Amino acid sequence: MGCGTSVKTEYQGKKSEKAIKAAVLIQRWYRFYMARLEMRRRYTLNIFQSIEYAEEQAQLQLSNFFTFMIDHYAQMNEQHSGPDLISDIINSSNKGQKKLLLYETIEVPDSYDGPRLSFPLSVSDTNTLLHAFKQEKQLHARYVLQLFHEIKKFLKQMPNIVHLTTSYSKQITVCGDLHGKLDDLLLIFYKNGLPSPENSYLFNGDFVDRGKNSIEILIILFAFLLVYPNNLHLNRGNHEDPIMNLRYGFTKEVMQKYKIHAKNILHLLEDIYSLLPLGTIIDSKVLILHGGIADTTDLDFLTSIERSKYKSALRPPRLDPKRNNLIQNGNGLHIDDCKASKNSDRHIGSSSHGVHQVSDKCLSPQIFPSSHQHTGGLPEEFRNGAILEINYLDSSIQLPDTTPELTATELKEWKQVVDILWSDPRNQYGCSPNSFRGGGCYFGPDVTKKLLDRCNLKMLIRSHECKQEGYELGHNGRVITIFSASNYYHEGSNRGAYLKLGPDLIPRFVQYQVSKCTRKLTLHQRIHAAEDSALRALQEQFFAHRSDLMKAFKECDPDGTGKISINDWAKAVEAVLHLGLPWRTLRSRLARLASDGNVEYLSCFEDLQIEKSIKEVQPSLVETLYRYKTDLEIIFNIIDKDHSGLLSIEEFRQTWKLFTTHLQINIDDSTIDDLAHSIDSNKDGSIDFNEFLEAFRVVHKFERKDSNRR
């Protein structure tokens, strides 16, 4: 009997041991599987962010050119056919300001079925707006202008840095970037409740751009701000900027939705942006800024600046027009107010390790000595200096290089504003230029500790960066990044989050994700979809820089074998694209290996082609147009005065000429004419610019399966 029991016990022990081994094996497999998914999720986000930051860097580098276009194109054009939209947005005047007050003259027709507002606003008005926007209805321009006018008056009374306390309210909810994603804002209100005296909110900038409902988000936030001025608060972000709006979609959204009233709305918004508070301090312990800090950030100094001067943080404040003039050759036309600092280079921001500056001219055409033959149209006082020249249509526009330098105080103010809007934290100690974004700085744990200790603060809450979980803690828990736009890059790419602060000042995070199609997908499917989208975006970067990449590849392949080592391939790609990605890891998804283990570099491009082949156009020009099509669209919006979406052949030629002047690309007129006529399919002498953009849309010729890669 005892022996039987012993055998049975031994058998059970062996069986239990097998079960444990099986469980450990499954656990290891599961952990390995999840680790691989996490790795894919992280490099997917890195791809999206690297491309986004590269675009922002390009925007900053081109900001001087767009500033010139914005400030001066319309004034040149007024001599012929009246002003265009964009300069009306930027170049305010007293006459224009008075015109904005005439919103009462705008009639709301009886047929209008959208929300109607009565001022002063009440809770019923905010509820009406929320209900209407859920049904995708649009607020009439008359109400938009009146709302924005009222919010402008209110914001004029606000300080640069707002001080809040949790003693009057149990908690304050802090939200990060929304970027036009109305569904995220509505979900926050659904989960956390509407703003009220018992439920305070702080929205930390970047309300607009990228998403399709930026104007609706502004309307909702501004309406609640007027109803609950002590319980809803707004900080300015780097996208509350008219030049950023030109590139990232908000200007276009307003133009499409409000048409004839768009320029008044955008004009008013420019003033509103400049009046938004720059930061918030809660209970004298928690500092909340959109971007971050630098080692030169001075909160006391920030409280004293005149923030309304900074219509755009991408350029220095307006100088006295009498000090700066643009002269049009031949007729003595004076075009004033060129905004630039001679001290500048292409990086915007400040640090004690060196001043990082912006471009040194209003645009980047050629600089001629004073003896150049084109100086004849300039007044005598300008003939002794360098001349910036740009040709527009049949005129020679000359910009005297006499812009006075900003004073030390003006420069310090500007850099302080740029740093708090554009900077990012890093784990490395010190403060260095934010090379990815091109503006602001990277600040380390020591910089954070120094500022917080000096100001007797506990933590810094900021936004500005997409995080996969919607939030991230850094610098030993003293820096918190909060990002509230879920699915920012792609469905399933990231969660959104907000945080709640009570009197104990312990942050409590709430995560969410707006789910439409992703709810039915598994985790693997969601990651795969986001990864695929990121890789497509990356392959399009390869297409846009094909010539430069091929040149770099061929330098590594002197014998013309079509193959180079993986190491050479990775170095060449990074040298051209400057995205800072793990190219050796990504190689299997981007290029094919030959049997000898080398990379067949032509395989990088075989999946991609322009959707509509244009035989008359040189491939190199097609590539250039594709690379800069976003910038061309901005120039088009500046030139298209009637907002018809159509350009004449001549206007199209001059659009490209203006940009090639800036890029210093040598393309002859006949090549541009061939392109224009090939796009003008109905031969009516006009080009639909949307069709032009569509003509240069890159498509993937076939779906590449993982099994086809080594």
Side-chain angles (χ1 to χ4, degrees), residues 563-623:
K563 296 180 290 185
I564 56 177
S565 70
I566 295 176
N567 189 50
D568 286 343
W569 178 86
K571 287 182 178 179
V573 172
E574 178 58 26
V576 172
L577 299 184
H578 304 291
L579 295 177
L581 292 170
W583 296 112
R584 294 173 68 90
T585 302
L586 293 171
R587 193 280 315 157
S588 63
R589 306 299 303 274
L590 298 170
R592 187 171 55 245
L593 281 187
S595 57
D596 60 1
N598 288 322
V599 179
E600 297 177 352
Y601 52 81
L602 286 174
S603 64
C604 297
F605 313 105
E606 63 186 16
D607 279 11
L608 302 168
Q609 66 178 7
I610 290 290
E611 187 171 40
K612 299 178 181 178
S613 179
I614 305 175
K615 297 179 180 179
E616 297 88 345
V617 182
Q618 301 171 7
S620 60
L621 178 56
V622 172
E623 177 188 324

Side-chain angles (χ1 to χ4, degrees), residues 338-355:
C338 175
K339 303 164 210 50
S341 169
K342 277 172 141 183
N343 299 350
S344 31
D345 201 353
R346 69 183 194 180
H347 190 280
I348 306 176
S350 61
S351 164
S352 62
H353 298 283
V355 177

Side-chain angles (χ1 to χ4, degrees), residues 60 86 124 236 257 264 272 276 307 309 362 371 417 425 431 442 452 464 513 545 561 573 593 632 652 663 671 693 703:
L60 289 171
I86 304 301
S124 63
R236 184 177 184 176
K257 290 180 178 178
N264 282 340
I272 291 171
L276 286 168
R307 69 181 187 276
K309 293 190 298 185
C362 289
S371 59
V417 171
C431 190
Y442 293 131
L452 296 183
H464 196 43
Q513 191 159 23
H545 297 82
T561 63
V573 172
L593 281 187
L632 285 168
F652 176 80
L663 294 176
T671 303
L693 293 175
E703 292 293 331

Side-chain angles (χ1 to χ4, degrees), residues 366-386:
Q366 298 176 346
I367 302 179
F368 299 101
S370 58
S371 59
H372 193 275
Q373 61 179 345
H374 292 288
T375 61
L378 290 172
E380 184 66 33
E381 61 267 28
F382 292 138
R383 293 189 183 181
N384 295 326

Side-chain angles (χ1 to χ4, degrees), residues 164-304:
L164 304 179
T165 176
T166 57
S167 61
Y168 300 115
S169 172
K170 292 183 179 179
Q171 292 184 329
I172 295 177
T173 301
V174 181
C175 301
D177 300 33
L178 287 168
H179 279 301
K181 290 184 171 289
L182 180 61
D183 288 342
D184 286 288
L185 178 61
L186 297 178
L187 183 57
I188 291 170
F189 286 162
Y190 174 78
K191 292 173 70 71
N192 195 60
L194 295 175
S196 69
E198 297 76 32
N199 194 23
S200 295
Y201 278 89
L202 168 63
F203 290 89
N204 196 26
D206 278 13
F207 320 119
V208 300
D209 280 336
R210 301 188 186 278
K212 64 179 182 179
N213 295 115
S214 296
I215 190 70
E216 286 80 9
I217 286 179
L218 284 182
I219 290 168
I220 290 172
L221 295 181
F222 290 167
F224 273 113
L225 180 55
L226 291 179
V227 174
Y228 298 115
N230 297 319
N231 304 102
L232 189 132
H233 310 277
L234 305 175
N235 282 347
R236 184 177 184 176
N238 66 305
H239 277 264
E240 278 68 65
D241 187 304
I243 297 181
M244 294 293 287
N245 295 164
L246 274 171
R247 185 182 184 95
Y248 293 104
F250 182 47
T251 298
K252 187 175 181 180
E253 177 189 334
V254 175
M255 288 167 61
Q256 290 175 340
K257 290 180 178 178
Y258 288 99
K259 304 191 186 315
I260 62 173
H261 300 292
K263 60 184 176 182
N264 282 340
I265 291 172
L266 292 168
H267 198 162
L268 196 48
L269 272 174
E270 182 198 354
D271 290 334
I272 291 171
Y273 288 162
S274 68
L275 293 170
L276 286 168
L278 299 173
T280 302
I281 296 177
I282 297 178
D283 287 348
S284 301
K285 289 295 182 183
V286 179
L287 173 63
I288 305 177
L289 303 169
H290 177 72
I293 59 174
D295 55 2
T296 55
T297 298
D298 184 338
L299 297 183
D300 291 332
F301 184 76
L302 279 169
T303 61
S304 65

Side-chain angles (χ1 to χ4, degrees), residues 453-580:
D453 290 350
R454 185 175 72 242
C455 299
N456 195 27
L457 296 167
K458 179 180 179 181
M459 73 177 76
L460 166 65
I461 298 175
R462 41 92 64 182
S463 302
H464 196 43
E465 287 184 288
C466 177
K467 300 299 179 183
Q468 282 188 329
E469 298 302 324
Y471 72 94
E472 184 177 86
L473 277 66
H475 295 185
N476 300 314
R478 303 193 77 180
V479 172
I480 296 174
T481 298
I482 193 78
F483 194 85
S484 299
S486 66
N487 307 310
Y488 179 58
Y489 295 113
H490 186 272
E491 283 286 333
S493 64
N494 67 284
R495 295 180 181 180
Y498 56 88
L499 68 83
K500 300 175 74 67
L501 282 176
D504 58 4
L505 298 181
I506 297 175
R508 296 169 178 85
F509 300 96
V510 180
Q511 297 170 288
Y512 55 87
Q513 191 159 23
V514 174
S515 299
K516 292 183 179 178
C517 64
T518 58
R519 185 177 299 170
K520 299 178 181 179
L521 301 178
T522 65
L523 175 63
H524 179 272
Q525 288 172 326
R526 291 198 301 271
I527 292 176
H528 180 76
E531 179 187 41
D532 190 55
S533 177
L535 288 169
R536 285 173 180 266
L538 194 54
Q539 287 174 322
E540 289 176 13
Q541 292 292 311
F542 273 66
F543 181 88
H545 297 82
R546 177 170 180 156
S547 297
D548 293 337
L549 285 169
M550 285 298 298
K551 181 180 179 181
F553 293 153
K554 288 179 178 179
E555 286 178 358
C556 300
D557 180 28
D559 297 329
T561 63
K563 296 180 290 185
I564 56 177
S565 70
I566 295 176
N567 189 50
D568 286 343
W569 178 86
K571 287 182 178 179
V573 172
E574 178 58 26
V576 172
L577 299 184
H578 304 291
L579 295 177

Side-chain angles (χ1 to χ4, degrees), residues 57 59-65 313-316 339-349 354-364 406 411 414-415 418 433 438-440 662:
Q57 187 179 67
Q59 170 69 16
L60 289 171
Q61 291 170 0
L62 290 170
S63 63
N64 293 323
F65 173 66
L314 298 184
R315 56 185 180 175
K339 303 164 210 50
S341 169
K342 277 172 141 183
N343 299 350
S344 31
D345 201 353
R346 69 183 194 180
H347 190 280
I348 306 176
V355 177
H356 320 305
Q357 302 164 329
V358 293
S359 175
D360 62 343
K361 306 168 189 68
C362 289
L363 71 165
S364 301
L406 294 177
L411 188 59
W414 181 33
K415 304 303 183 186
V418 170
H662 173 70

